[in-house]
Amino acid sequence: MMATEQPILRIEGLRKNYGAVAALQGVDIDIQRGEVLGLIGPNGSGKSTLFDCCTGLQKSDAGRVLLNGVDITGWPMNRIAREGRFLRSFQKTVVFPTLDSYENLVLAGQMFAFPSVLSTFWIGPAARRRIAALRERAAELIEVSGLSRVAHLPAGHMSGGQQKLLQFASMLMPKPELILLDEPLAGINPVLIEKVIDCITHANGTLGITFVVIEHNTDVLMSLSHRVVVLHQGAKLADDTPEAVVCNPQVVEAYLGG
């Protein structure tokens, strides 16, 4: 993949300490628009902390995060999501359990479709048009994610894998530019793993969404990613193609267990 002049996300010298523990030690990563970047490393290597600092959940001790060239370091999480179309998932799947798929997705899109909180309570032609557009997009994403058969069920009655698919579809509702996925395949069966992979591939190839993916299933991640970054003890150990990373002796020793 050819690098663009300006990365969609640039991480410069990011540092984060938890007491005496250096969770991140000056990490530099450029994420190019349109790529799927895999992020791997042993437990405690700093992967989730990197996501936390990039998305405003945690405040870094040093370094910068630039989204489309704009310094977003220190921005609160809601501002990053609203202004940057920059979203992340967490390892724990979060859905509204009493709402069906359509209701979950429409709710996920409302904060972007309406110009203010108060406007979500307005009635009238403009509000009806926005809701109709959200329901139309929800129907498309339900089809893409393979949830049509269970879309009428309350989300709490779905399997864990189906809930993950619904959460992923919810993230697509506002048409984000960049999504960070934290272990999207954890705890789901092989059939639904294939569906999640298909959804990521579709969103990247058809919708043009850039992804950074943390995933312990390295076989799947290597086949999904255009490029792989390896973290070890809070520092960047490797940044290369999947083929080069799996052959890197330092990576094999630190993580892949060869």
Side-chain angles (χ1 to χ4, degrees), residues 37-48:
L37 176 72
L39 184 63
I40 66 171
N43 289 332
S45 61
K47 303 182 299 296
S48 292

Side-chain angles (χ1 to χ4, degrees), residues 11-209:
I11 301 165
E12 296 181 348
L14 212 58
R15 294 183 178 274
K16 179 65 179 178
N17 296 327
Y18 296 106
V21 177
L24 295 174
Q25 302 186 58
V27 174
D28 297 306
I29 305 174
D30 281 354
I31 295 99
Q32 305 300 334
R33 185 176 299 278
E35 76 172 334
V36 177
L37 176 72
L39 184 63
I40 66 171
N43 289 332
S45 61
K47 303 182 299 296
S48 292
T49 299
L50 184 73
F51 276 17
D52 291 346
C53 291
C54 287
T55 56
L57 186 62
Q58 295 282 346
K59 183 178 180 181
S60 59
D61 297 319
R64 297 197 305 164
V65 179
L66 293 93
L67 180 65
N68 291 319
V70 176
D71 190 343
I72 63 170
T73 311
W75 284 18
M77 197 172 189
N78 64 326
R79 183 183 177 191
I80 292 173
R82 178 179 287 278
E83 297 193 19
R85 294 293 196 266
F86 174 21
L87 305 176
R88 68 162 294 180
S89 71
F90 293 86
Q91 293 177 17
K92 181 179 179 180
T93 306
V94 179
V95 296
F96 294 98
T98 62
L99 305 182
D100 67 21
S101 295
Y102 289 96
E103 292 164 333
N104 266 273
L105 296 184
V106 169
L107 192 58
Q110 274 187 319
M111 70 174 286
F112 299 94
F114 289 80
S116 68
V117 174
L118 287 177
S119 69
T120 62
F121 299 98
W122 291 347
I123 58 174
R128 287 195 292 270
R129 284 195 296 271
R130 292 190 184 102
I131 292 296
L134 288 173
R135 288 193 65 84
E136 182 178 348
R137 180 160 180 79
E140 293 171 359
L141 293 176
I142 285 169
E143 181 69 27
V144 167
S145 58
L147 292 173
S148 298
R149 184 174 58 84
V150 295
H152 65 287
L153 295 176
H157 293 180
M158 295 179 178
S159 71
Q162 290 166 341
Q163 289 184 16
K164 281 202 179 246
L165 287 167
L166 179 58
Q167 178 179 261
F168 183 78
S170 296
M171 298 182 75
L172 300 183
M173 281 296 292
K175 302 181 181 180
E177 297 179 45
L178 172 64
I179 296 178
L180 311 185
L181 296 175
D182 198 344
E183 298 192 35
L185 307 181
I188 58 177
N189 67 55
V191 174
L192 287 178
I193 283 176
E194 290 298 325
K195 191 60 189 177
V196 172
I197 293 169
D198 289 345
C199 287
I200 295 171
T201 302
H202 171 82
N204 175 249
T206 304
L207 305 179
I209 299 172

